[in-house]
Amino acid sequence: MFSLQDRIALVTGAGRGVGRAIAVALAQAGAKVGITARTASELDDAVKSMQKAGGHAVAIVADLMQKDAPAKIMEQMAAKLGPIDILVNNAGIGSSSDPRPIAEFNDDFWELTLYLNLTVPYKLSKGALPHMREKHWGRIINIASINGKMPSLHGAAYAASKHGLLGLTRTLALEVAREGITVNAICPGPVHTVMNDRRLEYDAQRRGTTFEEIEKAMTPIGGRLEPEDIAPMAVYLASAEARMVTGQAYNICGGVMLY
């Protein structure tokens, strides 16, 4: 296990799923972790799990759709744990909430998706940079998707936002490359989450097949990933050992994308 002893991390969307798994793994590696989500009960449960595993964690209830939320989260992190060394931009919304072809796409859902999946990571990264620059050390990890590299049928906003997130990742990585700060992305394939369950239900109905048949064939390895399959890469990218890794977008997808 890579050591993150005494590092301070923020993971957004960490009440469940991939965000929670990453937060737990960072805490187990020694980081002090702040986690955010909208649901206090989920955050409280996640904090208890992290503390039970020997980690140090605090919860910050926040609705990232509120324009001032990123700045307020930064203030609360500084007050509770200290300025952020490691930022994991995980919070987001998938296509499953309102899947439609582009000709029928909901404009409000387009705006919501682009804001939460792309603008919020931009704002949080911008807010974390001053301390990272002062310390000459920082890690920004954006949770993108394989749909940042390939299309998503009836999921135009999701695919566009994740393509944009990879552009943000690579541009920021180049800008801060000489300042001890790395910026990378993880591109998961289909992960067993509540959000992905809804997408499978939609696809099963659209294609006239069963949830189980679609799930079984989702990856060459078979089935879907679990949130815990994503966490080890995040720990590595957050570590000192990954100091020469920046601007990269790593697929963890069960073989869906082979390049």
Side-chain angles (χ1 to χ4, degrees):
M1 177 70 75
F2 300 101
S3 176
L4 302 177
Q5 198 66 40
D6 299 325
R7 298 296 184 189
I8 296 173
L10 169 67
V11 184
T12 66
R16 63 187 184 207
V18 171
R20 177 169 173 158
I22 289 174
V24 170
L26 294 177
Q28 289 175 333
K32 298 176 181 178
V33 184
I35 58 175
T36 73
R38 289 181 301 174
T39 307
S41 59
E42 290 181 348
L43 288 176
D44 290 342
D45 185 62
V47 166
K48 287 175 185 175
S49 295
M50 294 160 74
Q51 291 174 340
K52 194 176 294 184
H56 184 102
V58 299
I60 299 173
V61 178
D63 179 359
L64 286 168
M65 288 305 297
Q66 300 297 317
K67 302 296 183 183
D68 59 351
K72 286 185 175 179
I73 289 169
M74 290 295 170
E75 290 173 4
Q76 290 186 61
M77 278 294 295
K80 292 183 176 185
L81 292 178
I84 298 165
D85 301 310
I86 300 162
L87 170 63
V88 181
N89 285 309
N90 168 75
I93 187 169
S95 61
S96 61
S97 296
D98 196 1
R100 306 185 193 197
I102 291 174
E104 303 166 13
F105 213 80
N106 183 309
D107 291 346
D108 290 338
F109 185 64
W110 173 276
E111 297 290 344
L112 183 155
T113 303
L114 268 290
Y115 184 80
L116 186 56
N117 290 4
L118 182 55
T119 301
V120 167
Y122 154 75
K123 287 185 170 183
L124 287 168
S125 297
K126 192 175 181 181
L129 281 175
H131 167 71
M132 292 180 178
R133 281 180 154 154
E134 181 181 335
K135 200 169 183 178
H136 208 73
W137 199 98
R139 301 287 186 264
I140 296 175
I141 302 166
N142 295 319
I143 307 304
S145 167
I146 56 171
N147 290 125
K149 302 179 180 182
M150 62 186 286
S152 172
L153 189 67
H154 297 179
Y158 183 73
S161 68
K162 296 302 185 178
H163 275 73
L165 188 58
L166 293 188
L168 174 66
T169 299
R170 290 162 177 155
T171 300
L172 183 54
L174 188 62
E175 291 179 356
V176 300
R178 292 185 177 273
E179 300 183 61
I181 304 165
T182 66
V183 188
N184 292 286
I186 298 174
C187 298
V191 182
H192 186 189
T193 63
V194 172
M195 193 162 62
N196 194 239
D197 282 350
R198 293 177 187 144
R199 176 68 201 210
L200 263 67
E201 289 164 2
Y202 172 77
D203 285 337
Q205 184 176 25
R206 178 177 61 82
R207 292 161 56 180
T209 185
T210 67
F211 183 105
E212 291 75 20
E213 284 301 313
I214 289 181
E215 182 179 42
K216 192 186 305 180
M218 291 199 80
T219 67
I221 288 177
R224 290 184 285 175
L225 293 87
E226 294 297 330
E228 290 74 19
D229 292 320
I230 312 301
M233 178 62 78
V235 174
Y236 168 66
L237 292 174
S239 72
E241 286 81 357
R243 70 181 188 87
M244 292 298 283
V245 180
T246 198
Q248 305 305 305
Y250 289 99
N251 303 330
I252 304 178
C253 62
V256 175
M257 294 198 71
L258 300 177
Y259 63 90

